[in-house]
Amino acid sequence: MLRLVTIPISHYCEKARWSLERAGIDYREERHVQGIHRLAARRAGGGATVPVLVTPEGPIGESQQILEWVDEHTPAEDRLFPQDRRSRAEVDHLCNRFDTVLGPRARRLMYVHMLRDRPLALRFNNDGVPAWEERTIRYGWPAIQMVIRRVLEIRPGVELEDEVAVWGELDFVAEMLADGRPYLCGQRFTAADLTFASLSAAVLVPPVYGVALPQPAQMRPEMAALVVRAREHPAGAYALSLFASRIDGA
């Protein structure tokens, strides 16, 4: 069976999970906490980040490459990437944009808020990780927090910059959908839709997700307000609809 190495709450890992489940491909998820995930990723044959998908052909250490591998093992009518060269270029462009702008900015924005609420973070961060890792992050929280802040380059006021970038991406998607198209690239659900929905999950914390996520009623007011605002945005509502349709195999 395939092995997927993850941080359970990671939206890039959700992107990989969603693609595998949508294709009906069996896999075993190996969950780790932040920091320790780097050791697990390298042990699996990847780099310093997750997800890493361990396949018979070798390890794959980037979420976009995982989607491409999954597509090669999916019937043509259900694939996430179009066969037409121009359509494929459009999907690839959108995926790259969301991977490099929306994903990192939304992640850092929500980490800023989560790191302010240790009980909430610990309650939802460690779902399914080994017991020793759960204890490590629980009792080593100050050190883990320092590592996360350093790796993500969290500094005073950076969340304001990230909000501007995230809302810019939501506005961009809303403008694309304003002509009434059902999906970002037309009539079919593609990797662009899956990537956008997965990576916007950092600010949407959708009820339908690979692991349980905190909901607004459980959050501090400023964090809850951010999530509600994102959910009410037309692009946020679109992403939530994609998560909801995931139950039906979209």
Side-chain angles (χ1 to χ4, degrees), residues 18 45 57 63 76 112 129 135 138 158 165-166 198 200 203 227 232:
W18 189 342
E57 296 88 0
S63 63
V112 168
V129 305
R135 290 192 298 270
R138 182 172 298 276
V158 74
V166 168
S198 298
S200 66
V203 292
V227 171
E232 291 176 347

Side-chain angles (χ1 to χ4, degrees), residues 57-207:
E57 296 88 0
I60 307 171
E62 295 290 340
S63 63
Q64 186 69 9
Q65 294 174 3
I66 291 173
L67 262 62
E68 293 168 354
W69 184 90
V70 169
D71 233 38
E72 294 173 359
H73 297 78
T74 303
E77 63 273 14
D78 295 325
R79 289 179 180 170
L80 292 168
F81 294 96
Q83 297 299 305
D84 174 73
R85 181 178 300 177
R86 180 176 297 180
S87 299
R88 173 63 187 263
E90 181 183 15
V91 170
D92 286 342
H93 172 73
L94 289 172
C95 288
N96 181 66
R97 174 173 179 150
F98 299 143
D99 277 338
T100 56
V101 181
L102 177 62
R105 294 287 197 150
R107 173 180 58 200
R108 185 166 61 186
L109 176 57
M110 290 309 287
Y111 263 109
V112 168
H113 287 280
M114 288 292 287
L115 291 176
R116 294 170 179 167
D117 193 340
R118 180 178 182 272
L120 186 70
L122 291 177
R123 179 178 174 185
F124 289 94
N125 186 76
N126 304 333
D127 189 352
V129 305
W132 73 270
E133 293 188 27
E134 197 278 338
R135 290 192 298 270
T136 298
I137 198 169
R138 182 172 298 276
Y139 296 111
W141 179 253
I144 294 293
Q145 188 179 44
M146 288 178 59
V147 170
I148 292 173
R149 289 183 179 278
R150 185 177 68 250
V151 170
L152 297 184
E153 299 181 348
I154 294 175
R155 51 181 169 74
V158 74
E159 68 272 22
L160 302 179
E161 300 172 16
D162 290 338
E163 278 198 44
V164 171
V166 168
W167 256 261
E169 291 304 288
L170 294 181
D171 289 343
F172 168 75
V173 167
E175 289 173 10
M176 289 192 69
L177 297 171
D179 61 6
R181 66 182 71 184
Y183 299 105
L184 287 178
C185 295
Q187 300 302 309
R188 286 191 58 180
F189 179 86
T190 68
D193 302 284
L194 189 151
T195 300
F196 169 68
S198 298
L199 300 188
S200 66
V203 292
L204 296 172
V205 289

